[in-house]
């Protein structure tokens, strides 16, 4: 059913009304030619909409639409791109169906508490969300049958405002649902689909929204509707609420409600991929459905395990939700029997053997109720095996069944369009369709064909664009009277595009150690204010609203940025989001990363930077252990340290900056180009581009897990049919089906 609210767009001329379809499919966001169609209508309107075509098409004066509809050149372009768009929506084509087309494949239901797709959809906090977004974009490109399940966070994550004293204020701005690229999923009567979350009393209802990511739909749950009582209405308002009980309700809604929504939508023949432990209740619900159709708990558990993948992302304790048993009792007291088990057996599912009284652990549940597990880098896989070996007593650590698939980033999303154009010009003549085969390292060897001058000029341009963008943001806030002069000083007014620029942008979690480079402020000051070879640093990132330690670190950095003796060489960019991330990973010279090992499971921002020729200066943790090759950036901290790790690591950063990074950057040839630096840029692009692409990652998931999932899903389907048939025979036709059983979509919406 067409769910786009066409009546909002009746002013769009018929001849170009495909723009509306394009606006509601994020496909446009990673296809620069499609983006141009919007931009070309009117540049200022495009800017004013903050690059959100749904908003733009609603607000743009009709004259610009009429002009475009009468412009043969525009129409020619429009026709080509719309043709390409429609063709790439064909779900029967693509790599996947070519490679696996002859077998029947289950749909993968991908569950994630956050999705980083585009800045117009504030449904993410950080890397976990971008991984989910990039994963699904790549599934679309490859034609993999998958649907996503997540939340429609009406207030998103916080917007960050920094006070003049450097303290972070969180400002919540409600999402304008009608100006966002999401649509209401409709029920059979054409009303907004609302589904009751099973087994919760008093009841919780979710309205269902959809965001279309190329060929992949993501279903977003929204509890902010009149049917719910006020407390329940706020369940989906924000990411990762600090209130434990509300958090539990969130995860019940995501897992159990999400599973139910798929059921109502008729998406039955599905395997499940859990992105982190938050949605793990989905596995329980799958077990319950099977028990309800007559299977034993053990049989149901076995079938569900075989058809479930669980990706664990972090060794940091805060990333693993643990709920007190009394809370679990309160919400699951009536659920235990429906699984055919008693309380004790239920609680065992979430037990951490090394901390049996600690509560119900969502990661332990996910590991027990799925058969396929992976960490997100080689190192992270090993760390996870060590952390969770207690669940497999007697197994040597190396045999603990947790593998790894190293993360990657969606290349068409994160490679700047100008860099892409440069590739088209230089690589295109040899390999016209290079983007279609971009996980092939051989293609990237052609980067060597790009003249140093072209790459350097482009980089300089992207850097200038970053600074213009930063200043423009400040100018607007200043003109609105929202800014003190000291904010302008701290937020980049004095940056100079010819100065070596380091970027550090990430969540202000303590383990990421944003403060590290200030370990020896005097030495840092000497590096930054060197009169002949100065250096500047741009920081960005948000602290979790409940994390006062994180906010203090941020404040300290902000205060350094205000101090005259640092000469305006430190800047803090407010309100880091997807859009700012794009500017930063395209435009700085060096990407700094110094988390406390081994806590960075992977890290992905460095991959985005590398793809655009920004050089990584990173600790050997997460992805960089696999990425660093001695020629494509700088590494430190690979060794174990028994004394103060901060001191040792900061010392390594200073030394690298003083002896290697700064001299190389400022060593120019007669043509003004730092050829040694550009050589490293090329090495960075070509070594990291294919290896840390979402293309490589998703294909690895498919190759590693699909054959087993396939077999298990067929066995599951057979077992479910047998159970259903048996039950129908026993109970007679009139009571067959009904809510809570498998194979009976529909009838459950309200
Ligand atoms: C990529 C990205 C992240 C994740 O970066 P890490 O290096 O994993 O910390 C966080 N936020 C935004 C906006 C991003 O684009």
């Amino acid at each position: 059913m067409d769910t786009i609210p066409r009546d909002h767009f009746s002013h769009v001329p018929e001849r170009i009304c495909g723009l509306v379809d394009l606006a509601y499919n994020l496909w446009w966001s990673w296809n620069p030619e499609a983006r141009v169609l919007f931009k070309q209508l009117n540049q200022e309107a495009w800017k004013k909409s903050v690059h959100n075509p749904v908003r733009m098409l609603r607000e743009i004066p009709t004259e610009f639409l009429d002009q475009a509809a009468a412009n043969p050149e525009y129409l020619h372009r429009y026709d080509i791109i719309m043709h390409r768009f429609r063709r790439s929506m064909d779900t029967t084509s693509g790599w996947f169906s070519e490679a696996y087309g002859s077998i029947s494949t289950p749909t993968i239901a991908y569950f994630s508490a956050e999705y980083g797709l585009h800045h117009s959809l504030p449904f993410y906090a950080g890397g976990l969300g971008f991984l989910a977004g990039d994963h699904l974009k790549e599934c679309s490109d490859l034609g993999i049958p998958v649907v996503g399940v997540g939340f429609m966070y009406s207030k998103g994550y916080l917007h960050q405002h920094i006070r003049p004293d450097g303290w972070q204020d969180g400002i919540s701005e409600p999402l304008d649902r009608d100006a966002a690229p999401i649509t209401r999923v409709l029920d059979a009567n054409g009303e907004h689909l609302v589904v009751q979350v099973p087994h919760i009393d008093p009841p919780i209802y979710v309205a269902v929204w959809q965001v279309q990511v190329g060929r992949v739909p993501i279903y977003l749950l929204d509890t902010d509707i009149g049917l719910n009582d006020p407390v329940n209405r706020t369940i989906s308002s924000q990411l990762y609420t600090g209130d434990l009980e509300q958090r539990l309700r969130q995860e019940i809604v995501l897992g159990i409600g999400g599973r139910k929504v798929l059921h109502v939508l008729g998406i039955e023949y599905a395997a499940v991929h859990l992105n982190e432990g938050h949605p793990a209740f989905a596995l329980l619900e799958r077990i319950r459905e099977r028990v309800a159709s007559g299977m034993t708990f053990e049989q149901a558990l076995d079938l569900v395990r075989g058809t479930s993948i669980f990706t664990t992302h972090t060794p940091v304790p805060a990333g693993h939700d643990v709920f007190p048993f009394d809370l679990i009792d309160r919400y699951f007291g009536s659920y235990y029997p429906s699984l055919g088990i008693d309380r004790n057996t239920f609680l065992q599912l979430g037990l951490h053997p090394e901390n049996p009284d600690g509560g119900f652990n969502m990661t332990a549940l996910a590991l027990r109720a799925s058969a396929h597990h992976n960490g997100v880098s080689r190192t992270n896989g090993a760390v996870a095996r060590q952390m969770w070996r207690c669940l497999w007593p007697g197994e040597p650590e190396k045999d603990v069944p947790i593998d790894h698939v190293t993360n990657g980033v969606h290349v068409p999303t994160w490679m700047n369009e100008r860099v892409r154009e440069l590739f088209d010009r230089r690589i295109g003549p040899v390999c016209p369709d290079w983007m279609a085969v971009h996980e092939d390292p051989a293609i990237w060897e052609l980067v060597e064909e790009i003249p140093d001058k072209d790459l350097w000029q482009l980089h300089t341009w992207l850097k200038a664009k970053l600074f213009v963008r930063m200043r423009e943001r400040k100018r607007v806030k200043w003109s609105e009277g929202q800014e003190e002069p000291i904010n302008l000083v701290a937020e980049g007014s004095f940056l100079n595009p010819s100065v070596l620029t380091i970027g550090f942008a990430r969540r202000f979690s303590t383990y990421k150690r944003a403060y590290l480079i200030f370990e020896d402020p005097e030495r840092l000051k000497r590096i930054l204010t060197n009169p002949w070879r100065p250096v500047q640093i741009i920081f960005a990132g948000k602290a979790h609203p409940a994390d006062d330690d994180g906010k203090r670190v941020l404040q300290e950095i902000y205060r350094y940025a205000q101090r005259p003796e640092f000469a305006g060489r430190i800047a803090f960019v407010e309100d880091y989001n997807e859009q700012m991330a794009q500017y930063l990973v395209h435009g700085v010279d060096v990407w700094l990363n110094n988390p406390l090992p081994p806590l960075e499971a992977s890290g992905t921002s460095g991959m985005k930077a590398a793809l655009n020729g920004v050089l990584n200066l990173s600790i050997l943790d997460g992805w960089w252990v696999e990425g660093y090759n001695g020629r494509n950036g700088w590494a430190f901290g690979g060794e174990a340290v028994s004394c103060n790790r901060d001191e040792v690591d900061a010392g390594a950063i200073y030394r690298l900056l003083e002896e290697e990074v700064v001299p190389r950057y400022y060593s120019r040839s007669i043509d003004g180009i730092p050829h040694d630096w550009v050589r490293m840029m090329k090495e960075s692009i070509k070594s990291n581009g294919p290896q840390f692409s979402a293309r490589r990652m998703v294909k690895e998931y498919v190759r590693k897990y699909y054959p087993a999932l396939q077999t298990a899903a067929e066995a599951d389907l057979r077992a479910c049919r047998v159970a259903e048939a048996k039950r129908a025979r026993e109970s007679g036709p009139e009571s067959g089906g009904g809510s809570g059983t498998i194979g009976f979509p529909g009838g459950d919406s309200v």
Side-chain angles (χ1 to χ4, degrees), residues 11 16 85 128 250 345 441 493 525 528 532 602 635 712 724 730:
H11 58 290
I16 53 171
F85 171 56
L128 180 74
Q250 241 178 9
T345 314
S493 301
K525 195 194 302 174
L528 300 187
W532 323 117
S602 166
E724 277 293 301
E730 281 166 6

Side-chain angles (χ1 to χ4, degrees), residues 124 126-127 130 414 506 512 576-578 581 600 603-606 608:
Y124 59 86
F130 284 96
W414 293 105
R506 35 189 45 92
K512 301 236 186 200
Y576 183 50
N577 67 356
E578 183 267 345
E600 185 77 299
T604 50
S605 58
K608 301 168 190 168

Side-chain angles (χ1 to χ4, degrees), residues 518-750:
F518 297 95
E519 172 78 14
D520 180 347
E522 288 308 314
R523 190 160 171 194
L524 176 64
K525 195 194 302 174
R526 283 198 298 277
I527 294 172
L528 300 187
T529 62
N530 182 315
W532 323 117
R533 300 190 300 195
V535 176
Q536 56 200 5
I537 314 184
I538 302 175
F539 288 92
K542 298 171 183 172
H544 186 280
D547 178 12
D548 281 350
D549 286 340
K551 289 185 207 171
R552 272 188 285 275
V553 170
L554 195 159
Q555 181 173 42
E556 201 183 325
I557 292 173
Y558 201 84
R559 287 188 167 158
Y560 276 116
Q562 293 170 337
R563 281 163 54 174
E565 67 265 36
F566 284 89
R569 300 281 191 220
I570 300 174
F572 188 97
V573 189
E574 208 175 51
D575 206 26
Y576 183 50
N577 67 356
E578 183 267 345
Q579 195 181 30
M580 203 61 219
Q582 294 276 5
Y583 284 102
L584 283 164
V585 300
H586 301 153
V588 299
D589 299 303
V590 173
W591 198 253
L592 176 66
N593 182 38
N594 52 33
L596 188 65
L599 298 181
E600 185 77 299
S602 166
T604 50
S605 58
M607 302 173 184
K608 301 168 190 168
L611 192 58
N612 292 282
V614 171
L615 301 180
N616 278 275
L617 166 54
S618 173
I619 200 159
L620 281 168
D621 193 20
W623 79 283
W624 196 230
V625 176
E626 293 158 67
Y628 177 62
N629 69 6
R631 303 180 303 277
N632 59 358
W634 297 274
F636 60 94
E639 69 288 344
V641 173
S642 53
C643 51
N644 182 342
R645 171 114 231 174
D646 284 357
E647 205 178 300
V648 174
D649 288 338
I653 295 173
Y654 297 140
R655 192 197 63 75
L656 281 169
L657 285 175
E658 290 161 350
E659 294 174 16
E660 302 195 28
V661 182
V662 177
R664 187 179 289 252
Y665 179 84
Y666 284 106
S667 145
R668 304 294 165 102
S669 302
I670 195 86
D671 55 10
I673 296 168
H675 290 283
D676 284 350
W677 187 277
V678 177
R679 187 172 330 121
M680 281 181 85
M681 290 174 70
K682 290 182 182 174
E683 184 64 35
S684 167
I685 296 171
K686 72 182 201 198
S687 61
N688 295 312
Q691 196 183 346
F692 300 101
S693 63
R695 173 75 47 100
R696 190 271 310 144
M697 170 182 77
V698 169
K699 283 191 172 179
E700 207 173 314
Y701 274 107
V702 170
R703 292 187 177 124
K704 223 169 221 173
Y705 300 116
Y706 254 73
L709 282 181
Q710 175 64 33
T711 314
E714 280 169 7
D716 179 38
L717 191 66
R718 272 194 307 274
C720 290
R721 285 194 181 132
V722 168
E724 277 293 301
K726 181 156 168 270
R727 219 179 59 98
R729 239 186 356 260
E730 281 166 6
S731 57
E734 66 281 0
S735 56
S739 119
T741 65
I742 20 192
F744 189 79
D748 300 309
S749 58
V750 291

Side-chain angles (χ1 to χ4, degrees), residues 30 87-101 105-108 135-146 213-216 695 698-699 702 706:
W30 72 89
R87 211 184 42 201
S88 44
M89 291 309 110
D90 171 8
T91 49
T92 60
S93 66
W95 170 79
F96 185 79
S97 61
E98 280 157 31
Y100 296 82
T105 44
T107 300
I108 303 286
H135 188 109
L136 295 192
K137 287 174 184 175
E138 192 59 53
C139 284
S140 169
D141 288 345
L142 292 174
I144 295 171
V146 52
V213 183
R215 299 187 252 201
V216 174
R695 173 75 47 100
V698 169
K699 283 191 172 179
V702 170
Y706 254 73

Side-chain angles (χ1 to χ4, degrees), residues 431-447:
C431 182
D433 213 10
W434 67 273
M435 191 52 109
V437 289
H438 72 253
E439 81 279 26
D440 178 1
I443 304 294
W444 296 75
E445 283 302 319
L446 294 166
V447 167

Side-chain angles (χ1 to χ4, degrees), residues 196 200-204 229 232:
Q196 181 176 354
I200 287 287
D201 195 35
I204 302 176
D229 68 36
N232 287 339

